[in-house]
Amino acid sequence: MKVKVTQVGHGTHPSEVIVTVDTTSGPERLVVHQRSIKDNGLDIGYPINRDRNSLLVELPRETISGSWRVWVPEAVVVE
């Protein structure tokens, strides 16, 4: 499964990029290796929980605000 991301900047290392993930509480930024992004998506595991039209997912890296797990709208997760 993948979560849709948008690249918004460059990381401190040349191979890193900053991406945003749209969550139910607003966009979250995280720094990832640019090779981990494919078709504007970032690999995630199977959703941990579901609530109405939202999914709790665990990201492969910690967000800039310190979260590993975030609630995202179901529409931003693709298989």
Side-chain angles (χ1 to χ4, degrees):
M1 300 192 96
K2 294 183 183 207
V3 64
K4 294 178 189 175
V5 296
T6 304
Q7 185 175 334
V8 294
H10 301 285
T12 56
H13 192 273
S15 63
E16 294 177 330
V17 293
I18 300 171
V19 297
T20 59
V21 176
D22 290 330
T23 71
T24 56
S25 60
E28 286 281 348
R29 291 180 177 218
L30 63 150
V31 179
V32 296
H33 195 281
Q34 62 188 14
R35 287 188 298 182
S36 63
I37 301 171
K38 294 186 178 104
D39 299 324
N40 293 322
L42 186 62
D43 283 329
I44 58 170
Y46 193 76
I48 298 165
N49 202 349
R50 176 183 302 268
D51 184 33
R52 294 188 182 98
N53 295 329
S54 299
L55 301 171
L56 180 63
V57 298
E58 186 165 337
L59 300 171
R61 299 272 308 260
E62 184 177 15
T63 65
I64 292 175
S65 66
S67 300
W68 283 87
R69 294 178 177 180
V70 293
W71 284 97
V72 296
E74 195 170 357
V76 302
V77 175
V78 293
E79 291 191 39

